[in-house]
Amino acid sequence: MRIIAGTARGRRIFSVSKNLPVKPISDRIKQSVFDILRPRTMGAMWLDLFAGTGNVSLEALSRGAARVVSVDREPACIKNIHRNLKHLGFEDRARVIRGDVLKPLDYLLSYSDNEGYDIIFMGPPYRDQNNKMLAFSEPALKNVADARLLAPTGVIVLQTHKTEEFAVPEGLELYRVEKYGDTLVHFLRYKAA
């Protein structure tokens, strides 16, 4: 894995054990998502849920995000994100939290100075350790909406397997979907008043 663009362009980042159910975002999808988000990334407040290796968090910081909060429940992932932040010199602009995205997320609002996040990236795992398909997107999205974590003009980016379905929480709208092989990337925002 490597950083694609920005101040840390080309630098390698550490991964986690292949025994963990963590599938880092591919460079192709990461490049496309960041191209779409380019006008929004500089100076943005990011929230990376199901952060895994921290790949998306680190790319956002390299591309000029003001601050990033990375959340994962796996201790090995938390340790790895800290290692990568130190390796790239981004520790001062990041917060790493061990937490379960499938539980209430109200506590995360305070890390955005109670303003909400400009960009919320969610890359839940597609499968568990036993290769069983999962469906984390809908409950996680509901938790984000219930906690009002998105800034008024913010965007939620949700990466799912093409077969996973989810309901869009009330007050949000799906305005764009991109397909990459068996992966779909959904872009959501608040509905216009």
Side-chain angles (χ1 to χ4, degrees):
M1 290 187 307
R2 64 186 176 86
I3 302 295
I4 295 172
T7 59
R9 181 181 178 190
R11 297 204 42 202
R12 295 231 171 255
I13 53 178
F14 304 108
S15 190
V16 294
S17 168
K18 291 188 180 357
N19 296 332
L20 292 172
V22 175
K23 181 186 175 192
I25 188 171
S26 72
D27 280 356
R28 176 177 163 235
I29 297 172
K30 183 168 70 165
Q31 178 68 55
S32 179
V33 166
F34 276 93
D35 283 349
I36 292 166
L37 296 174
R38 182 177 294 139
R40 298 174 170 270
T41 299
M42 186 63 70
M45 183 70 198
W46 274 70
L47 177 61
D48 185 4
L49 300 175
F50 304 101
T53 61
N55 194 346
V56 169
S57 299
L58 298 163
E59 188 74 35
L61 290 165
S62 180
R63 292 177 185 241
R67 290 193 350 230
V68 173
V69 175
S70 307
V71 181
D72 203 282
R73 70 179 182 184
E74 177 59 52
C77 290
I78 297 299
K79 184 177 179 182
N80 188 68
I81 295 168
H82 279 295
R83 181 182 182 199
N84 278 316
L85 288 168
K86 185 173 184 179
H87 170 66
L88 297 175
F90 292 149
E91 294 169 294
D92 61 329
R93 293 170 33 222
R95 181 80 185 235
V96 184
I97 299 168
R98 184 174 178 209
D100 188 344
V101 180
L102 302 179
K103 293 184 177 173
L105 301 174
D106 305 79
Y107 69 96
L108 291 174
L109 191 59
S110 64
Y111 296 107
S112 72
D113 299 329
N114 296 313
E115 304 280 324
Y117 296 87
D118 301 305
I119 301 170
I120 299 175
F121 182 86
M122 300 168 56
Y126 300 165
R127 299 175 181 272
D128 67 11
Q129 297 93 323
N130 301 316
N131 210 30
K132 179 184 169 200
M133 288 298 289
L134 301 171
F136 290 162
S137 298
E138 187 167 327
L141 200 53
K142 182 180 183 312
N143 288 344
V144 166
D146 288 350
R148 310 257 331 145
L149 297 178
L150 189 64
T153 59
V155 174
I156 297 171
V157 181
L158 172 63
Q159 177 182 315
T160 69
H161 188 272
K162 67 181 179 183
T163 61
E164 184 178 356
E165 296 180 3
F166 62 91
V168 176
E170 190 173 334
L172 295 176
E173 65 179 357
L174 180 66
Y175 72 93
R176 182 172 183 168
V177 179
E178 298 292 330
K179 186 175 189 297
Y180 310 91
D182 66 353
T183 296
L184 295 178
V185 179
H186 313 266
F187 294 81
L188 301 99
R189 63 189 173 201
Y190 285 121
K191 283 183 182 172

